[in-house]
Every structure is written in C-alpha cells, then in structure tokens.
Amino acid sequence: MRGVVDTKPTSLYRLAFESADAGLAVLSPQGEWLLVNAALAALAGQPAAALQGQRAHRQVFEPAVADAIDALLAAPAQACAPRLVLESGADAAAGPARRIVLSPLPGDGGALLLRCDDLTAERAHHLREQDSATLQEYLAHGLSHELRAPLRSIAGFAARLDETGQVAADGRPDLERIRAAAARADQLVQALLEFLRASRQPMRQEPVDVSLLCEWVAAELQDRDRGRAARIEVAPGLWARGDEHWIKVLLREVFDNAWKFSADRDEVRITVEGAVSDGRLQLAVTDHGCGFDMRYADKLFLPFQRLHGSNQGGGHGLGLAIARRVAECHGGSIRAESRPGQGSTFFIELPAASPGAGAEPGQ
Amino acid sequence: MNQNDILLIEDNPDDAELTRIAFAQAGIDRQLVVVRDGAEALDYLFAKGQYAGRDVRQLPAIVLLDLNLPKLDGREVLQAIRGDARTRSLPVVVLTTSDEPFDVEATYALGVNSYIRKPVDFERFVDVVKQIGLYWLVLNHPRVAS
C-alpha cells in the first residue's frame, strides 16, 4: 500500500515549492524572506530557518546583486512591476555563478518570487567549448605549419641525395622509402586538416548539382590514375542543398574509396543513383570492388579504423570519417552495405534542392 | 626583364637551402638574398641597420615571404611593405606551408600578390618555383621605377 496523499491544495503547493529543482524564495515587499525552499537553502549553504525572516539576500548574494534587489524593492509599486534578471559570479573570484530572477507575485500583497539557478555547470561547459575551439586552432596551426616544415626537409633533402648520386645504388631503395614515408605523412597532415576543417567551418546552403560533382570527381580520379579502365554511370539531375566545396569532398572520399578497393578488378565500375523523398536526396553510390565484411560496418566511418591493409589499397584512414563529418554537418547521413567480393553501396542522405534553383524558395 | 634580386624571407635554414636548390634547378639565374626574420627583411628593404649602406631604390624583383617568422611575423612584414610608399607596389608572394583558409584570407586582405603553398614533394616544389620565376620575372611587366 502506498502512502496516503494529502490532497488539500495548500499542502500540494507547499510540496511543489519545497521540492522544486530551482532555488525559490517568497519575499515580502520590504525584502524579508518569508519562505525559502530546500534548493535555495542548499545554494546559499545555510539552513532555510536561518534565512527566513531576514533580508537574506544581503548575506546570500554578492553586494551588487543585493543592491539591485533592494533598488527594485524601493521602487514605487507599479501595476506591472518589471521582472529583474541578474547574473552573479561573471568573474569567478567575485562569487559563485548564479542567475537570479525576481518577479512580482500576482495579487495586491506586493510579495515577490525570487528564483535562483546555479550556473556553475553551464559556465564550465561554455569554457570547455571555448577551450576546445582554441585547442583545435592550435592543432590546425601545428599541423599546417610546424609539422609540415620538417616533412619538407626530409622529403627535400632525400630527393637531393637521390639526384646528386651521393648514395650508392644499394642505398637507393632506402632513400625511396624515406621519400615515400614523407609523402604519406604529408597526405595524413592534409587529411587531418580537412577533418578538422569539416567540423569547424560553417556549411553554405546553396543548390548543388550532385550529378555534375560526381562526374567531376570521377574525371579527377581518372586523371590521377591514367590507363585504368573505368566505367562510371551517374544518373542526371541529382541536386542537393548544401556547400558545394564540402559535398565535393564527401563524394571524392566515397569515390576514392570505391576506386581503391576496385584495384584487383579489370575495370573500376561505379554507379550513382538517386531519388528525392520528403525533401531529402537519397544517393546510392555502388562499386563492384572487393567489398567489406558487414561485421565491421560500424567501424567503417571512424577515423583510423582501416578494414584493409596498405597492400589492399588502405589509405590514411580518414577518408570516410571526413565523408561522414560532411554529411552530418549538412544534417544528413552516410552508411554502407557490402557483400565481400561483390562490392559495396554507400547510401548518402542530404537535404534536396530543385534543379537549377538559384534563388531561395519564396523569392 | 627585371634583373633585380629575389628577396627570400625565411627563418628555417633547411627551407632556405631547399628554396635555393629549387631556384637553381629551375634555372632561375638571380641572386637569392636570404633574410632570417621580419625585422631583418625590413632593414634590407629600407636600407637600415646592417643594410644601412644599401641603395634603397634598388628593390628586389619579388619578395618571397614565409608567414611564420620570429619577431615580426609575415603578416606584419606585409603590412609594413604595403604601408610605405617606396615598397607599396613591390610584388610579394607568400610562400608558406599552410593552406588553412584563415591564413589565406588574412594574407590577401593585407594585399599580398599571390599565395603559394610549398608542396612537401621536392619535384613539385621545383615546379612551383619554376612557375613563380616564369610569371614574376618573365611574363609579368614590372612597374617602372620612379
């Protein structure tokens, strides 16, 4: 049997007031604290009994806040007195971070309700976000300036040794390894910067010709890998709404992935199909490469989770992570299905746009 | 064709050496004057300090500027060059390792003529240097000295 609830309204009001998460107090027109709930007593660090009957704001809040409360109390009573919102502890040394709202209660009595919230967690969260943005800036700077400089020295002087013939024939493969490693590290730096940028830069919102971008990205891959037979089929008239630069990056990573894992096929075959439903463009990019084991499907889009070794075409391990970042920053998504040995299909969802819609709707 | 020197502002001796080699390999037969920081670059351009005896009218054909420099950084050097009537129209090419959008935009806003990222691959770097030389030393018609 559960307890018997006292259903008298006054008891229920009292219970609700007492157990509210927010710190609450009812003040007399003269500023005496008539009622104090448990949350406010906890914020003040004193028992409710020690606050009641006192002008307790003078002992609980920092002087500037208490003065502002007294100023409102001293103001002539108005039919619709203004609400007062104060924040304390903007400077951590001055006191704890609190938001205080003082508002008149209805009726003729002139009593006021004081509400006090703890902002400590909110402020700390805000600081952490600022810290994270600063850290990302340092990281981007470190990568783009400080790490690339020694890489250039390694690559440059190894090339120099190679050209001047100062290294005997049996040492040249080692020199080639040094150069190749520097080139890989450079590609990794490039990819890390792109990964950071995809998270930090705001995405534009414009109609983007996805069919054209697919053809463009395919042409770039064919240009890079001349002599490779490729059959690329892209459905015409696919339009998304978003940032052309970043959607191209997304498609490039997906195409690049398909291209790499078709290495053991006679030709690269990539098909792009799409449909619009509920204002969303659903793209399907299908390849006929070596595919992947669906057991690892959730790892596919995580940074540095390679499903294939470098001998199978594995790259810097960030390509699909970048693709997912871009899709998500557009409010879209990406996932993949595969049958090992038969190929994979990447399903990309993006906001749709109508063909050639240069203007915003309604313009 | 402008026969003046090329001024390279570069604090990293490895990079300075690689740039020198790349210019030689690209067949650009100009003297490459290397200064190590922004303050020295301005001393050179305005014939002050250790360059006090230099003829200030003898400006380099182009200035190759790294962004990350000790003391005065590349942006401050660029501001000083653009802020002085004698060097306002001097061609300045930023040659740096970064292609972060922030760096690129901030540098164009300060009036740089060109922004080029140094590729890590050396052969591509020689190629870049060749093109800089062809454009700024051969194709581009320099301002007639006043």
Side-chain angles (χ1 to χ4, degrees), chain A residues 4-338:
Chain A
V4 178
V5 177
D6 180 353
T7 55
K8 283 200 296 293
T10 45
S11 305
L12 291 176
Y13 292 151
R14 175 118 208 159
L15 197 61
F17 178 85
E18 262 310 312
S19 51
D21 283 338
L24 298 173
V26 177
L27 273 63
S28 76
Q30 291 72 40
E32 282 166 350
W33 291 31
L34 304 173
L35 272 179
V36 179
N37 78 347
L40 185 50
L43 281 176
Q46 296 182 46
L51 301 170
Q52 274 164 5
Q54 312 282 325
R55 291 168 46 79
H57 46 284
R58 299 247 51 117
Q59 61 193 82
V60 172
F61 302 126
E62 58 192 68
V65 171
D67 288 349
I69 292 172
D70 280 337
L72 183 83
L73 292 167
Q78 293 167 356
C80 184
R83 247 163 61 103
L84 178 70
V85 181
L86 300 162
E87 289 202 5
S88 72
D91 171 12
R98 308 269 189 258
R99 182 187 296 114
I100 297 128
V101 181
L102 194 62
S103 41
L105 288 169
D108 303 330
L112 297 112
L113 182 70
L114 181 144
R115 175 190 167 129
C116 178
D117 290 296
D118 186 2
L119 298 185
T120 315
E122 205 176 292
R123 290 256 170 88
H125 177 74
H126 183 63
L127 276 180
R128 271 200 304 277
E129 276 189 344
Q130 279 182 333
D131 275 357
S132 159
T134 310
L135 277 175
Q136 284 187 23
E137 260 164 50
Y138 284 137
L139 190 58
H141 179 92
L143 286 167
S144 62
H145 286 287
E146 311 297 336
L147 186 55
R148 266 186 182 142
L151 281 177
R152 281 170 37 71
S153 293
I154 294 167
F157 289 107
R160 178 85 178 140
L161 281 177
D162 212 5
E163 276 154 17
T164 53
Q166 293 171 73
V167 174
D170 59 352
R172 295 188 64 140
D174 289 349
L175 216 44
E176 200 41 57
R177 284 193 188 99
I178 293 172
R179 296 182 66 179
R184 276 203 308 279
D186 181 44
Q187 283 163 13
L188 176 62
V189 167
Q190 191 72 27
L192 278 167
L193 284 170
E194 197 142 61
F195 187 61
L196 282 174
R197 252 179 248 156
S199 321
R200 290 160 71 210
Q201 272 186 358
M203 298 285 158
R204 297 159 73 99
Q205 295 290 324
E206 287 163 355
V208 175
D209 186 342
V210 172
S211 302
L212 178 75
L213 288 184
C214 287
E215 302 276 9
W216 185 358
V217 161
E220 281 180 352
L221 283 168
Q222 279 172 297
D223 207 38
R224 193 183 72 185
D225 200 1
R226 290 196 188 169
R228 183 93 175 96
R231 186 141 49 102
I232 316 287
E233 284 165 22
V234 181
L238 303 173
W239 286 79
R241 172 165 289 275
D243 190 310
E244 186 175 54
H245 168 79
W246 285 107
I247 291 179
K248 182 170 178 249
V249 168
L250 187 169
L251 294 168
R252 187 192 71 209
E253 296 303 344
V254 172
F255 268 65
D256 189 51
N257 188 69
W259 198 276
K260 276 188 299 203
F261 298 114
S262 300
D264 59 349
R265 300 293 194 260
D266 293 336
E267 61 170 10
V268 184
R269 275 175 63 200
I270 302 174
T271 315
V272 181
E273 292 164 305
V276 174
S277 68
D278 293 335
R280 312 289 288 172
L281 174 67
Q282 313 282 349
L283 274 183
V285 182
T286 304
D287 67 62
H288 301 269
C290 61
F292 63 90
D293 188 331
M294 280 299 282
R295 276 180 299 177
Y296 305 117
D298 57 331
K299 281 192 168 185
L300 205 56
F301 297 99
L302 295 176
F304 307 121
Q305 298 288 325
R306 296 177 186 80
L307 301 189
H308 300 85
S310 55
N311 55 336
Q312 286 174 286
H316 47 61
L318 277 169
L320 292 177
I322 292 171
R324 181 163 80 172
R325 270 282 141 133
V326 174
E328 287 175 352
C329 288
H330 278 86
S333 63
I334 181 169
R335 65 185 177 85
E337 283 176 12
S338 184

Side-chain angles (χ1 to χ4, degrees), chain A residues 140-141 144-146 148-153 155-157 159-160 163 179 182-183 186 190 193 197 200-201, chain B residues 12 14-15 17-19 21 25 67-68 75 96-101 103 117-123 125:
Chain A
H141 179 92
S144 62
H145 286 287
E146 311 297 336
R148 266 186 182 142
L151 281 177
R152 281 170 37 71
S153 293
F157 289 107
R160 178 85 178 140
E163 276 154 17
R179 296 182 66 179
D186 181 44
Q190 191 72 27
L193 284 170
R197 252 179 248 156
R200 290 160 71 210
Q201 272 186 358
Chain B
N12 180 336
D14 282 3
D15 265 359
E17 176 66 3
L18 286 171
T19 308
I21 296 167
Q25 285 199 8
L67 286 183
N68 264 28
R75 295 159 199 84
T96 184
T97 46
S98 162
D99 57 356
E100 278 293 286
D103 286 334
R117 180 166 91 78
K118 290 184 271 194
V120 165
D121 181 76
F122 188 66
E123 267 113 60
F125 183 50

